[in-house]
């Protein structure tokens, strides 16, 4: 036994001694960096060398200690490449918890796959990535790569902290560039995180940061990129997939893009032009013409992604889309532009960030960005934006994916930053009217008519296309407060002209009224209980944002069971504050009939972290009152 103990002591001491000499030991990481962390970035060094307008080399050296299974995504051991971007070197070494080397992984051992996915018809892009299954945690990946590209239009951003639950011991970026290319940069959130500028001349730039602690996500926070440090860089003289560019602001970019990328892309066959002119007929109003053509595009085409060469940035020729009947967001927007041009309606190709979360193109700093394209049509003093990838959206509808954000509109005379349509909270309306009855056994039967507009229309209109099982699941989730729910007739009316979606639903449920002795208890609000769970966040750090407000109005007739009288009726309730307004009212028409009225208005806005608890309390009061009970007594 004594010899065994000595052997174990020697093994632990040896491992500990080795770890002391090795930078990758878990013992070297301070406890503060482990708090809230799934992974710790030990160091992250990025060297960017812009050698010319058509040549850029990016070297990465990175060590990440993965503390648990969720931390693996922080390794980021992958690179993408195509005909204009090559991976010169890529390798990795795996270490155990004490910094002992486990495995070396060479380039040939990395996975190499096509960038095409289920939505992409064709792509010449590929990914090479590390695939490693750990034996135990923690472990460390030391990763290095070198890529060379002619695409100097996209200089990688420096994000020393790129995700939640990750801490950073040290991160460094070095950039070298020719003075003549017009290098420019924008720093965001640097002072908050004590980013150090270690070198800057006319041809080079360096930054570093140490000991960024891991952060936990907090509900309703603004976008990650708004909260944490970011360095954005661009060139005045750049190359985009083999095409030289020259732009120092969005206006110049729009002119260059219009002349060099979009030129000759809207040529259509004469047969198609004649067909479109006949379809429009004698209509002279530009917007009415646009509606006819938008509907034509929706019926004729479908969305697929094309990512071949410049196709990642340049739309397919309109003639090809016309012939094939498909295209990506760029191609379909440009095809619609070509059709409108054929009947004398001006329109502009537009780039933006498409996402349910609001994200602007940076108006004050030019760097080619965005992930989506739509079409912009002038309408007197305003603009109408068309989502050309959708076969279902009404003309000009934008809510929840391209609404209320700054976009770059590409005009022949130059680019212009414009904000897309804002759906104000009052216009994001849901109006519900219906009734329900309870029998003497507490069985519920009801009908409800729900009419949705604004952003609420966008969330509801897709229900019409659900399979029957999906519809059933949707409504059982929506009315999860009603146990034993059974759905009857369901009918929809999709008024695309007025952008209003209406649901008519019949439903029943047993035991909605709970019998206890000679009493029956049930929740008065059956159809629209607030289900928003606003979590308590102790010592909240981030501000919070309500991106889209809404307005709900309900009027429900309640028929009480025969042979019961009302013992307890909830009081009318009203709540007002900076976040919105809430009101309920119960009107007693006769001995067995009630009218329940409810209105809920939630305002949009940005608020400080100190106001979050006030908002949580506001929503908690709404939820509590939505759950108010009526008590009946059997006569």
């Amino acid at each position: 036994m004594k010899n065994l103990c000595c052997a174990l002591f020697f093994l632990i001491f040896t491992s500990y001694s080795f770890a002391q000499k090795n930078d990758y030991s878990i013992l070297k990481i301070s406890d503060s960096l482990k708090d809230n962390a799934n992974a710790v970035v030990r160091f992250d060094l990025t060297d960017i060398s812009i050698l010319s307008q058509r040549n850029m080399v990016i070297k990465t050296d990175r060590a990440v200690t993965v503390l648990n299974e969720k931390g693996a995504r922080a390794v980021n051991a992958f690179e993408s490449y195509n005909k204009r971007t090559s991976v010169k070197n890529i390798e990795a070494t795996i270490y155990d918890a004490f910094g002992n080397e486990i495995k070396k992984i060479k380039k040939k051992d990395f996975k190499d796959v096509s960038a095409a996915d289920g939505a992409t018809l064709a792509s010449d892009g590929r990914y090479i990535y590390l695939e490693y299954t750990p034996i135990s945690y923690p472990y460390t990946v030391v990763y290095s790569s070198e890529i060379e590209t002619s695409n100097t239009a996209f200089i990688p951003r420096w994000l020393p902290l790129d995700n939640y639950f990750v801490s950073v011991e040290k991160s460094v970026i070095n950039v070298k560039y020719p003075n003549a290319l017009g290098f420019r940069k924008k720093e965001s959130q640097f002072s908050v995180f004590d980013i150090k500028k270690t070198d800057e001349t006319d041809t080079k730039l360096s930054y570093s940061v140490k000991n960024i602690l891991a952060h936990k996500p907090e509900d309703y926070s603004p976008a990650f990129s708004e909260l944490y440090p970011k360095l954005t860089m661009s060139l005045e003289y750049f190359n985009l997939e083999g095409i030289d560019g020259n732009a120092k602001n969005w206006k110049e970019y729009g002119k260059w893009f219009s002349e060099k990328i979009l030129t000759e892309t809207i040529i259509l066959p004469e047969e198609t032009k004649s067909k479109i002119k006949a379809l429009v007929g004698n209509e002279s109003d530009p917007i009415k013409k646009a509606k006819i053509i938008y509907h034509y595009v929706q019926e004729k085409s479908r969305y697929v992604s094309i990512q071949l060469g410049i196709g990642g940035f340049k739309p397919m020729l309109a003639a090809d889309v016309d012939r094939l009947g498909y295209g990506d967001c760029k191609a379909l927007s440009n095809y619609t532009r070509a059709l409108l041009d054929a009947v004398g309606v001006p329109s502009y190709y537009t780039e933006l960030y498409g996402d349910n979360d609001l994200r602007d193109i940076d108006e004050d700093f030019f760097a080619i960005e965005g992930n989506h394209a739509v079409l912009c049509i002038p309408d007197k003093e305003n603009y109408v934006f068309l989502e050309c990838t959708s076969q279902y959206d009404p003309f000009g509808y934008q809510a929840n994916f391209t609404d209320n954000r700054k976009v770059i509109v590409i005009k022949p005379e130059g680019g212009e930053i414009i904000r897309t349509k804002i759906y104000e909270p009052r216009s994001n309306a849901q109006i519900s009217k219906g009734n329900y009855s309870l029998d003497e056994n507490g069985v519920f039967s009801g009908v409800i008519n729900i009419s949705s507009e604004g952003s609420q229309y966008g969330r509801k209109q897709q229900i019409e296309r659900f399979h029957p099982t999906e519809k059933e699941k949707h409504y059982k989730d929506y009315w999860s407060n009603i146990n034993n729910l059974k759905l009857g007739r369901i009918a929809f009316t999709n008024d695309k002209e007025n952008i209003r979606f209406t649901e008519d639903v019949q439903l029943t449920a047993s035991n909605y009224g709970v019998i206890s002795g000679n009493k029956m208890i049930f929740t008065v609000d059956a159809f629209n209980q607030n289900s928003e769970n606003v979590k308590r966040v102790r010592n909240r750090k981030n501000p919070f944002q309500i991106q889209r407000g809404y307005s709900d109005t309900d009027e429900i007739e309640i028929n009480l069971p025969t042979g019961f009288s009302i013992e307890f009726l909830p009081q009318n309730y009203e709540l007002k504050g900076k976040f919105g307004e809430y009101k309920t009212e119960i009107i007693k028409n006769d001995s067995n009939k009630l009218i329940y009225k409810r209105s809920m208005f939630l305002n949009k806005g940005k608020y400080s972290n100190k106001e979050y608890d006030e908002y949580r309390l506001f929503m908690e009061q709404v939820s509590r009152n939505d759950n108010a009970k009526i008590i009946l007594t059997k006569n």
Side-chain angles (χ1 to χ4, degrees), residues 49-56 149-150 152 178 181 235 237:
S49 298
I50 303 168
L51 304 175
S52 70
Q53 186 173 357
R54 302 181 183 181
N55 192 4
M56 178 169 61
T149 181
S150 63
T152 57
L181 294 185
L235 299 174
Y237 297 92

Side-chain angles (χ1 to χ4, degrees), residues 596-608:
Y596 172 68
K597 294 184 177 182
R598 176 188 186 272
S599 62
M600 170 71 184
F601 168 69
L602 184 67
N603 208 356
K604 65 178 181 180
K606 291 185 177 181
Y607 305 92
S608 72

Side-chain angles (χ1 to χ4, degrees), residues 32-41 62 64-75 161-168 212-219 224 228 535:
S32 62
L33 289 172
K34 296 175 189 174
D35 287 345
N36 301 318
N38 294 325
V40 180
V41 177
R62 181 176 172 91
V64 180
T65 297
V66 179
L67 302 177
N68 55 51
E69 185 177 358
K70 293 179 180 178
R73 67 187 67 179
V75 172
L161 186 69
D162 64 1
N163 213 332
Y164 292 110
F165 298 115
V166 177
S167 60
V168 179
I212 301 180
L213 304 183
H215 291 253
K216 294 192 292 186
E218 296 175 337
D219 288 352
F224 188 93
Y228 299 102
K535 297 177 183 177

